[in-house]
Amino acid sequence: MSDLKRYEKIKDAFFKKIEHKEEKLYLDNKNLNLIKNSIPNFISDDLDNLTNKMSEFYDEVRFPNYDDCEDYASLYDKGIKNLFTKRIDQELSYGTNTLELGCGTGQLSLFLARGNRNIFSVDISNGSLILGEKFRIENDIKNVYFMKMDVFDLKFKKNYFDFTISNGVLHHTKDARKAFNSLVEVTKPGGLIVIGLYHKYGRFFTKVKQKLARLLGKNIFFLDQTSLKIKSKDKRNAWVTDQFLNPHETLHLPSQTMQWFKEEGVEFVNLIPHSDDISKPLFQTREEPKLSFINEFLMLFNMNQIQEGGFFVIIGRKNKY
């Protein structure tokens, strides 16, 4: 199937705004700007300075790379070894319309390609998208669609996606709150939204290492336990650069994020690591936790939380009314 026909198949997911009217964006030879002849570029105007800086940063970093993924079988094995991604794969329905915002090199999107899901993988980094598209072509995966798009100008129809995920991305944008709103708009009522953010308190040790990295550069890996476990030099350099030399990040608290949910009409489902119970399905609604300062601080005593740079994931379901 030609690239053009692939995108013609899913053109109804898109719209563009012309004089405040919504018009379908038909992907033909006249208006389809392609990167490397296969990846649609929907960024028509210049990016703001910060977004452009982040785009250039990840063009160089290309995190994560495919050193440990020779084919789809090895990528899938990697995915099921991670409990979080394994459970997403197990619980997402057949044929789900999925958006991954900030897909990077696309490994999660490609992992979730089973089950005839339609997966739209959006990023602002040409280099990262090219890596993901190369793997997609080599492994003949037809239902993952890589594209360059700005979170603040998403070209999708409103209320379109069954499942929207942005894991470790919003805190690298100029306005995480506004970016979250963009995700809610394109998620259908009853659809699931998953976001992963840096924890304000859990990022303390990483912040110290970031200051040291200004002096040590990539040699900061000698002081980082996670980096020392990475065997591939290229993958280690990508991790170190992403964690300690990143030009922009913001820090957040689960209580703040839950307030975003309330303001945008998103029902709380799960908070990891705080309220997740491994015996329950990932998307089964939990009782909303009471997040005092003490409770949010106690999240940090989960050692994985500290080693991974103070990361938390919150899951919600967009209200139907």
Side-chain angles (χ1 to χ4, degrees):
M1 184 186 298
S2 71
D3 294 310
L4 200 54
K5 287 182 178 179
R6 287 186 77 241
Y7 289 96
E8 281 288 344
K9 280 187 64 178
I10 47 87
K11 66 187 177 184
D12 286 343
F14 298 98
F15 70 80
K16 64 178 177 180
K17 293 180 180 178
I18 299 178
E19 296 180 353
H20 305 291
K21 296 179 181 179
E22 293 184 4
E23 257 183 38
K24 286 187 178 176
L25 178 59
Y26 289 98
L27 305 176
D28 57 30
N29 285 315
K30 294 180 180 178
N31 61 17
L32 182 58
N33 179 18
L34 294 174
I35 301 166
K36 285 286 186 179
N37 299 320
S38 61
I39 304 167
N41 178 8
F42 292 103
I43 298 177
S44 55
D45 300 321
D46 291 336
L47 293 168
D48 62 87
N49 289 338
L50 176 58
T51 306
N52 190 58
K53 182 184 290 187
M54 297 306 298
S55 174
E56 292 175 351
F57 176 78
Y58 282 107
D59 270 345
E60 182 178 346
V61 174
R62 302 189 185 193
F63 177 75
N65 61 32
Y66 282 84
D67 284 358
D68 52 357
C69 299
E70 296 179 0
D71 51 25
Y72 187 77
S74 56
L75 176 69
Y76 185 74
D77 286 343
K78 178 181 178 181
I80 60 174
K81 287 177 182 176
N82 181 296
L83 182 60
F84 177 66
T85 54
K86 176 183 178 180
R87 289 169 67 184
I88 291 176
D89 182 49
Q90 290 173 337
E91 296 180 37
L92 274 187
S93 302
Y94 183 89
T96 301
N97 284 326
T98 295
L99 169 65
E100 185 184 7
L101 187 282
C103 66
T105 59
Q107 293 189 15
L108 176 60
S109 290
L110 293 163
F111 168 71
L112 294 175
R114 299 184 330 125
N116 201 35
R117 299 165 183 137
N118 292 311
I119 302 179
F120 298 77
S121 305
V122 170
D123 205 89
I124 56 170
S125 162
N126 289 10
S128 297
L129 289 166
I130 288 168
L131 274 186
E133 178 70 357
K134 179 175 182 291
F135 190 90
R136 183 198 70 77
I137 292 171
E138 290 174 348
N139 290 273
D140 196 28
I141 300 169
K142 300 185 184 302
N143 56 321
V144 174
Y145 304 91
F146 289 106
M147 53 198 67
K148 186 173 183 177
M149 200 179 291
D150 185 357
V151 64
F152 301 107
D153 187 26
L154 294 178
K155 303 295 186 183
F156 302 106
K157 284 183 178 180
K158 293 181 179 180
N159 304 316
Y160 183 79
F161 291 102
D162 305 294
F163 180 71
T164 304
I165 183 167
S166 185
N167 205 24
V169 177
L170 302 189
H171 47 233
H172 291 310
T173 69
K174 63 183 180 183
D175 189 335
R177 174 67 180 84
K178 186 177 178 182
F180 173 70
N181 181 65
S182 297
L183 295 182
V184 176
E185 284 187 345
V186 298
T187 305
K188 66 170 53 175
L192 288 161
I193 301 173
V194 179
I195 59 172
L197 295 167
Y198 288 143
H199 194 292
K200 183 176 180 179
Y201 308 141
R203 201 72 174 153
F204 174 79
F205 293 106
T206 301
K207 284 294 183 183
V208 172
K209 293 173 187 175
Q210 286 175 347
K211 292 184 183 300
L212 291 172
R214 295 174 187 172
L215 300 173
L216 301 176
K218 293 179 182 178
N219 288 326
I220 189 66
F221 85 87
F222 286 112
L223 302 178
D224 181 58
Q225 205 170 25
T226 300
S227 302
L228 290 170
K229 294 178 182 177
I230 302 174
K231 296 179 181 179
S232 163
K233 182 179 179 181
D234 287 342
K235 190 174 287 290
R236 184 182 67 220
N237 283 339
W239 164 262
V240 167
T241 304
D242 180 57
Q243 287 294 302
F244 308 122
L245 300 169
N246 203 300
H248 175 75
E249 65 179 41
T250 54
L251 306 180
H252 305 272
L253 288 172
S255 56
Q256 172 197 26
T257 315
M258 287 175 63
Q259 183 61 33
W260 296 355
F261 277 36
K262 290 183 174 69
E263 292 168 356
E264 298 300 329
V266 178
E267 174 194 2
F268 171 80
V269 173
N270 200 353
L271 172 63
I272 303 168
H274 188 276
S275 60
D276 181 48
D277 181 344
I278 197 170
S279 66
K280 294 181 181 179
L282 188 67
F283 301 138
Q284 179 178 320
T285 302
R286 275 75 167 163
E287 181 179 352
E288 187 173 314
K290 296 179 180 179
L291 293 174
S292 64
F293 167 80
I294 297 297
N295 288 337
E296 291 190 300
F297 186 78
L298 289 175
M299 289 178 70
L300 310 186
F301 288 88
N302 179 308
M303 289 307 296
N304 290 330
Q305 176 85 352
I306 295 173
Q307 290 173 8
E308 294 298 326
F311 195 75
F312 70 93
V313 175
I314 186 165
I315 303 171
R317 182 176 285 105
K318 185 173 176 178
N319 291 338
K320 293 185 178 180
Y321 305 103

